[in-house]
Amino acid sequence: MMIKIPKNAASFMLCNAFNKLQGTFTVHSFKTSNFSFSELASQTILTPFHSNPASNRESLLFDHPRSMFEKITNFDDALKLFDEMTQRQPLPSVVKFTQLLQALTKMKHYSCSINLFKQMAAVPAPVNVYTTAIVIKCCCELHYTNQGFAIVAYGLKRGVVPNVCIFNTILNGLILEDRILEAETLFKKLIKGKLCEPDVVMYNTMIKGLCKVGNNDTPIALLRLMDERGCEPNVTTYSTIIDSLCKDKMVDDALKLFNEMILHKGILPNVVTYTSLIHGLCNLGRWEDVSKMLKEMEDKKISPDVLTFSMLVDALCKEGKVDDAKALMNIMVKRGKDPNLVTYNSLIDGYCLRGEMRKAREVFDSMRSRGIIPNVITYNSLLNAYCKNSKIEKAMLLFDEIIEKGLKPNVVTYNTMLHGLYRVGRCKDARELFNEMQAHNRISPDACTYRIVLEGLCNNHQVDEALSLFRLMGENKLDLDIVVYTILIDGASKCGKPEIAKALFNELSIRGLHPNVRTYNVMMGCFCREGLVKEAKELFLQMEEMGCLPDHVTYNVLLQGLLKNEQHDTIEMLLKEMDGQYLSVDASTLSMLLHHVSSGSLDGTLLKLIGKLVPKKGMDAPCFQYRWR
DNA sequence: TTAGGGTTAG
């Protein structure tokens, strides 16, 4: 679609530039009822908005426009008003039409706004840059950004010159649709073609989009570009980048930017900036820095909000400090910040992970009595706890309750249930559920589902079925990753099929997969079980050559293999290596070592070394402590 | 006296 040349020179330049843009973006026609925006754009006989004489002669109906438009709370009222407006002679001003469209858009009736806009075009009613901006936003919100382009073209035909607001809406639309590359190209063209000078809002939009795709360098480059082009960043600009860095665990870089913002730019951080930083610090377990940040907020009289508190509640729960988390929830209530569904879910999950089901249920009941309706995530936590504790009957009752409440189980729900069923050996029920999730609820199994099923089958001595499912996965081109291979190697080995385990291990290099520490541990366990200690030792050397460092499991597996097979020559060396790497012996290795010492097959002088390898108890990891005032 | 971005938690 080419735009024909309009009257004034500025529009002429814009049209040229816009036509060049067409090469980069596909502009689809906007067909709904009987005409499209692309067709509209190519029409020539349209009334320019400024020639409408109605604007200075309003009737009584429109003398109080605010109250009139504030009353529009539903679709029917809007339509009725619109009909009256379009039938008036002369037509109401463009501002009135714009207000009506804006009222609908604020109510999220995007399609309705677009339809009215089309009817306006048919009248034709007056249109200006505000009107088109609103309708373009509607298209973008509906993920029809291409139609937004068509409206820009249509606007140009009517002398509406797109400005920074309109281009920003388009950029935001592309970002909403994850079309970041296209947004970047358009942004560059806007600058190069001097179509508009980006302002802080536009830079923020672009920065948000780039952060969304996991890029941190370009947003920082944009921040520098703002400086070059004389555009002042604001707290949103910095907070967006700070948050992105924190999510990528680059908290120190985020803190540098935070200091730059305050000290060099004189921009005050807000609760969002602090919440992002606190979140990043919590994830890295930097509790002292978290306390510092909270103190700083207090000094600056910035109150933590529900999100700040919820995040801290969640962090405490993940550290196992669930009672502290509950106490923090009481503090937030005292401060007038009501915990919401997310906050309650964290606390319930925290109790569930500790197996404190009575407390979890108490919180569950209290949230409901406060009118907060549990969602599928709430149920998943409870379900997981019941399954992990082999309380499959309770889990099944809960599963029924999810459906009774009209909630839709998700893939996590099914994975949890499958795990639970295999744990108690109910393979047939698991198989039925596996079929049901796909057939009845149209939920596709994910990589996790397959791992659970394969591991479940292996643990229940159904290695052959696991293998055939595994081969089926290969045909479906599902993730045949190293985790899946490791599960099967372990399963085959433990079910007395070491040959299959070895064949699978050898298959890895053909598939281009690299064994990880778990894979090596499992394979070494397989050799040891077979009495092939020499092969296990060789693998131990090989893994280091391949750049895979042994962990405490590796040493324990090898030690047990050596002890079982009465090969004592390398034991002292291994124990010394463990000591050097601060690794511990596990309970069964320890008892075997002690047994061999007492029977005299191991030298008693090793006892001192063994003592150093016993894990120390009772040392609580340092965690978050803060004196709330 | 009509338009755009607004960043933070499970």
Side-chain angles (χ1 to χ4, degrees):
Chain A
M1 169 188 62
M2 293 294 280
I3 311 294
K4 287 177 197 163
I5 299 165
K7 290 157 208 160
N8 64 57
S11 296
F12 174 72
M13 279 165 64
L14 264 163
C15 282
N16 270 340
F18 191 81
N19 286 333
K20 277 180 204 158
L21 281 175
Q22 301 295 304
T24 327
F25 305 97
T26 328
V27 176
H28 301 287
S29 61
F30 191 82
K31 275 198 200 298
T32 42
S33 49
N34 34 4
F35 60 84
S36 73
F37 277 119
S38 299
E39 285 158 24
L40 275 179
S42 58
Q43 283 171 24
T44 43
I45 320 152
L46 286 166
T47 320
F49 71 92
H50 40 77
S51 68
N52 176 29
S55 23
N56 34 11
R57 283 196 301 116
E58 298 293 311
S59 77
L60 278 176
L61 177 70
F62 297 109
D63 280 348
H64 307 284
R66 277 240 174 257
S67 57
M68 190 68 228
F69 288 90
E70 274 164 13
K71 271 182 198 159
I72 307 170
T73 47
N74 69 57
F75 184 84
D76 292 331
D77 284 353
L79 281 190
K80 211 170 148 191
L81 184 60
F82 181 80
D83 277 343
E84 282 173 30
M85 286 167 72
T86 49
Q87 278 160 28
R88 287 181 61 80
Q89 266 310 330
L91 284 166
S93 77
V94 63
V95 176
K96 299 291 175 292
F97 280 105
T98 308
Q99 284 174 327
L100 177 64
L101 290 185
Q102 176 69 347
L104 278 164
T105 305
K106 284 259 150 50
M107 287 151 56
K108 298 193 193 293
H109 288 302
Y110 304 122
S111 308
C112 178
S113 291
I114 294 166
N115 276 322
L116 294 194
F117 184 75
K118 284 186 197 166
Q119 287 182 46
M120 285 170 69
V123 171
V127 161
N128 67 10
V129 68
Y130 297 93
T131 334
T132 48
I134 292 168
V135 183
I136 291 167
K137 182 186 162 67
C138 291
C139 294
C140 292
E141 289 288 341
L142 294 169
H143 288 216
Y144 291 141
T145 305
N146 287 340
Q147 321 299 353
F149 276 107
I151 296 175
V152 173
Y154 165 69
L156 278 169
K157 277 313 297 175
R158 299 194 62 175
V160 177
V161 179
N163 61 9
V164 66
C165 290
I166 290 196
F167 282 122
N168 182 60
T169 308
I170 295 270
L171 286 173
N172 197 46
L174 290 171
I175 290 163
L176 278 174
E177 290 184 39
D178 290 322
R179 295 162 64 181
I180 313 294
L181 275 177
E182 288 165 87
E184 247 187 301
T185 313
L186 175 58
F187 180 73
K188 282 178 192 158
K189 288 201 177 188
L190 291 178
I191 295 178
K192 229 180 173 180
K194 295 195 167 104
L195 290 169
C196 75
E197 181 58 33
D199 61 5
V200 64
V201 175
M202 189 177 268
Y203 280 107
N204 288 352
T205 304
M206 281 310 298
I207 287 171
K208 180 189 70 178
L210 291 161
C211 288
K212 194 177 166 188
V213 290
N215 183 336
N216 290 319
D217 295 337
T218 323
I220 293 170
L222 272 187
L223 186 66
R224 305 303 168 221
L225 184 73
M226 289 176 82
D227 234 1
E228 272 173 38
R229 297 184 77 92
C231 176
E232 283 300 320
N234 58 20
V235 65
T236 305
T237 322
Y238 274 97
S239 297
T240 308
I241 306 176
I242 286 171
D243 183 63
S244 181
L245 289 166
C246 285
K247 288 207 170 93
D248 292 341
K249 300 197 188 297
M250 298 160 74
V251 181
D252 288 318
D253 291 303
L255 286 168
K256 267 185 209 155
L257 220 51
F258 180 68
N259 283 331
E260 175 191 304
M261 168 178 112
I262 300 169
L263 301 175
H264 295 179
K265 291 282 175 184
I267 299 168
L268 292 177
N270 60 19
V271 65
V272 178
T273 330
Y274 277 108
T275 305
S276 289
L277 282 166
I278 291 172
H279 190 207
L281 290 165
C282 281
N283 282 341
L284 294 179
R286 289 168 61 172
W287 307 112
E288 275 181 30
D289 291 330
V290 172
S291 300
K292 260 188 224 162
M293 281 285 158
L294 286 166
K295 177 80 174 55
E296 212 177 293
M297 284 177 81
E298 202 177 288
D299 293 345
K300 291 184 179 168
K301 308 234 176 298
I302 299 169
S303 309
D305 64 9
V306 176
L307 266 69
T308 326
F309 277 116
S310 291
M311 232 190 45
L312 289 168
V313 164
D314 191 59
L316 283 167
C317 287
K318 291 214 162 74
E319 285 287 314
K321 310 247 175 186
V322 194
D323 290 323
D324 288 354
K326 193 155 182 270
L328 186 58
M329 257 171 86
N330 291 334
I331 292 169
M332 68 187 280
V333 172
K334 268 188 204 153
R335 293 191 168 203
K337 313 282 177 206
D338 280 340
N340 60 21
L341 176 62
V342 177
T343 333
Y344 278 105
N345 279 352
S346 291
L347 197 64
I348 290 172
D349 196 53
Y351 280 127
C352 284
L353 289 175
R354 293 175 65 89
E356 298 185 45
M357 294 312 287
R358 202 178 48 81
K359 285 186 177 173
R361 277 284 185 177
E362 266 171 33
V363 178
F364 185 72
D365 292 337
S366 94
M367 79 183 265
R368 286 205 286 198
S369 68
R370 281 166 201 246
I372 296 171
I373 301 161
N375 65 3
V376 68
I377 298 176
T378 327
Y379 279 101
N380 285 348
S381 291
L382 292 163
L383 212 56
N384 184 40
Y386 285 134
C387 286
K388 282 218 168 107
N389 293 301
S390 301
K391 302 213 165 117
I392 196 69
E393 294 304 330
K394 282 195 173 178
M396 284 170 95
L397 282 174
L398 206 63
F399 185 78
D400 291 339
E401 192 180 316
I402 295 176
I403 295 159
E404 271 167 33
K405 299 267 178 204
L407 293 168
K408 210 177 168 320
N410 59 20
V411 68
V412 178
T413 321
Y414 279 104
N415 288 350
T416 310
M417 281 305 291
L418 287 168
H419 206 172
L421 287 166
Y422 282 117
R423 178 182 277 269
V424 295
R426 288 168 63 165
C427 297
K428 198 168 153 270
D429 292 333
R431 182 87 211 179
E432 273 169 24
L433 195 69
F434 181 71
N435 292 337
E436 184 194 304
M437 72 184 274
Q438 298 165 80
H440 290 194
N441 293 307
R442 292 186 181 173
I443 292 171
S444 305
D446 60 9
C448 207
T449 320
Y450 283 105
R451 285 176 202 165
I452 288 167
V453 172
L454 291 174
E455 200 166 21
L457 290 168
C458 288
N459 288 343
N460 286 286
H461 311 286
Q462 302 193 12
V463 181
D464 292 330
E465 202 175 335
L467 283 168
S468 52
L469 178 66
F470 171 70
R471 296 300 172 200
L472 205 71
M473 284 168 67
E475 282 164 26
N476 293 337
K477 291 197 176 128
L478 269 159
D479 271 353
L480 288 182
D481 62 9
I482 190 65
V483 179
V484 166
Y485 267 96
T486 307
I487 288 169
L488 285 167
I489 293 169
D490 195 32
S493 156
K494 283 180 181 155
C495 291
K497 301 191 177 191
E499 293 310 318
I500 293 178
K502 276 178 233 164
L504 286 166
F505 187 78
N506 292 332
E507 204 177 301
L508 291 176
S509 57
I510 304 165
R511 300 254 179 196
L513 292 170
H514 299 286
N516 60 25
V517 64
R518 265 188 78 95
T519 325
Y520 281 112
N521 293 348
V522 158
M523 204 55 222
M524 278 164 60
C526 178
F527 284 135
C528 289
R529 217 170 277 120
E530 293 296 300
L532 302 168
V533 184
K534 191 169 152 267
E535 280 80 353
K537 279 184 182 168
E538 277 170 14
L539 209 55
F540 181 72
L541 295 175
Q542 189 194 319
M543 70 186 283
E544 283 197 302
E545 278 166 21
M546 299 299 284
C548 179
L549 287 177
D551 63 3
H552 73 283
V553 180
T554 321
Y555 282 100
N556 279 286
V557 167
L558 196 57
L559 281 170
Q560 291 190 26
L562 292 165
L563 291 166
K564 264 184 206 156
N565 294 284
E566 302 293 339
Q567 296 198 13
H568 302 121
D569 52 325
T570 40
I571 286 183
E572 187 174 354
M573 189 195 78
L574 290 175
L575 292 175
K576 280 182 178 160
E577 274 185 36
M578 286 180 84
D579 185 37
Q581 292 171 57
Y582 303 102
L583 299 173
S584 314
V585 288
D586 64 29
S588 57
T589 312
L590 180 65
S591 94
M592 285 174 80
L593 283 165
L594 295 177
H595 179 256
H596 280 76
V597 171
S598 63
S599 70
S601 52
L602 266 183
D603 192 345
T605 55
L606 281 177
L607 277 177
K608 201 180 166 195
L609 183 55
I610 294 168
K612 285 169 82 179
L613 302 175
V614 177
K616 308 285 175 288
K617 269 190 219 163
M619 282 284 284
D620 244 3
C623 187
F624 163 67
Q625 279 178 341
Y626 185 71
R627 281 178 65 88
W628 297 91
R629 293 195 194 159

